Amino acid sequence: PPELLAEGPPDMVQLERSARSAPHVPWFSVEVPLRQSQARKVRTAMCTQQTWDASFLEDRAPGHIELWFHYHFEVLGIDQIYLYDLDGTFADLEVLRPWRSAGRLISTEGFAKIPPLDRVYNEMGFNTASAYLAQTLVQHHCLQQAKHNAEWIISVSHGWDMVLFSPTQTLGELLDGLSENKLTYVNGVRYGDPESESTNVQLGQVRK
């Protein structure tokens, strides 16, 4: 009711069994306390693709991990980046420590333990085919987390071979020119070929 909303956000919700539940599910009622997010407000947050095997990436492209994060944080000006580290190999990278300590790099390492993904990864290991099984969970989780404190959420659907770049304007200028509360797609150009385009980046403003 409007009169309740006027008093401020709720501090508790009550969970009960749905009327659509299977007949064998017992009735229950649980009160769950709520608290407001304490995360600092930012203008931009970036959701990345799930990743794994940092040492392999570093061997294939030395210095690229640091370059990728430095570019998006310090050059482009992204406030926060969500990193989904399936196997935990990015957790102790020294090059990421300053951004993690500053609260700009937010790491999540538990998705590989969620059933049935845990069984899949135990049997198949981490590779391109198996890692994509977590992508929907990763994207949904990042959206739900970032919307609490970010004005704009940028979703990059590819990994380390993609950067967000414009030769004509800054990120701030781009966001200032976009429609509010609408999803905007940015076409990706592969390896400098303007004829090879695909929609790989999504920018959306969080409805307040």
Side-chain angles (χ1 to χ4, degrees):
E3 60 271 17
L4 293 181
L5 294 177
E7 298 176 3
D11 57 9
M12 182 272 294
V13 294
Q14 185 168 313
L15 303 180
E16 297 182 354
R17 193 194 76 168
S18 169
R20 293 190 235 174
S21 298
H24 66 273
V25 176
W27 184 89
F28 67 91
S29 178
V30 179
E31 291 186 355
V32 180
L34 300 177
R35 62 181 178 84
Q36 288 186 298
S37 172
Q38 301 301 309
R40 66 183 180 90
K41 300 298 182 182
V42 298
R43 190 180 192 199
T44 54
M46 176 180 282
C47 297
T48 63
Q49 182 177 285
Q50 63 281 354
T51 190
W52 70 98
D53 201 349
S55 61
F56 174 79
L57 177 58
E58 187 63 24
D59 289 342
R60 290 288 299 272
H64 184 68
I65 296 175
E66 182 178 12
L67 172 66
W68 195 93
F69 281 99
H70 176 84
Y71 170 77
H72 287 95
F73 276 133
E74 310 303 338
V75 179
L76 202 60
I78 299 293
D79 294 308
Q80 290 183 331
I81 295 178
Y82 285 77
L83 175 66
Y84 288 86
D85 181 8
L86 292 181
D87 60 357
T89 55
F90 286 75
D92 297 322
L93 292 182
E94 188 65 31
V95 296
L96 301 182
R97 193 178 303 277
W99 295 305
R100 184 178 283 113
S101 298
R104 300 185 68 187
L105 178 62
I106 302 172
S107 298
T108 300
E109 302 165 4
F111 275 84
K113 301 176 182 178
I114 299 176
L117 292 178
D118 57 344
R119 297 195 299 272
V120 173
Y121 293 134
N122 285 335
E123 296 175 7
M124 299 179 59
F126 297 98
N127 53 59
T128 302
S130 65
Y132 275 100
L133 296 173
Q135 185 157 342
T136 301
L137 288 174
V138 163
Q139 292 174 341
H140 179 73
H141 182 269
C142 186
L143 173 62
Q144 294 302 317
Q145 295 299 307
K147 72 178 185 180
H148 292 295
N149 69 311
E151 180 183 355
W152 288 90
I153 300 175
I154 302 170
S155 176
V156 180
S157 59
H158 278 260
W160 307 105
D161 59 346
M162 174 173 289
V163 295
L164 186 60
F165 171 76
S166 169
T168 60
Q169 59 186 167
T170 66
L171 178 61
E173 292 170 339
L174 171 64
L175 297 179
D176 288 340
L178 296 181
S179 302
E180 295 184 356
N181 298 317
K182 290 184 178 180
L183 189 64
T184 301
Y185 294 91
V186 176
N187 286 334
V189 179
R190 293 186 176 276
Y191 308 114
D193 180 4
E195 301 301 324
S196 175
E197 292 188 355
S198 59
T199 301
N200 292 314
V201 179
Q202 302 173 14
L203 301 93
Q205 188 180 44
V206 180
R207 186 181 297 275
K208 301 300 183 183

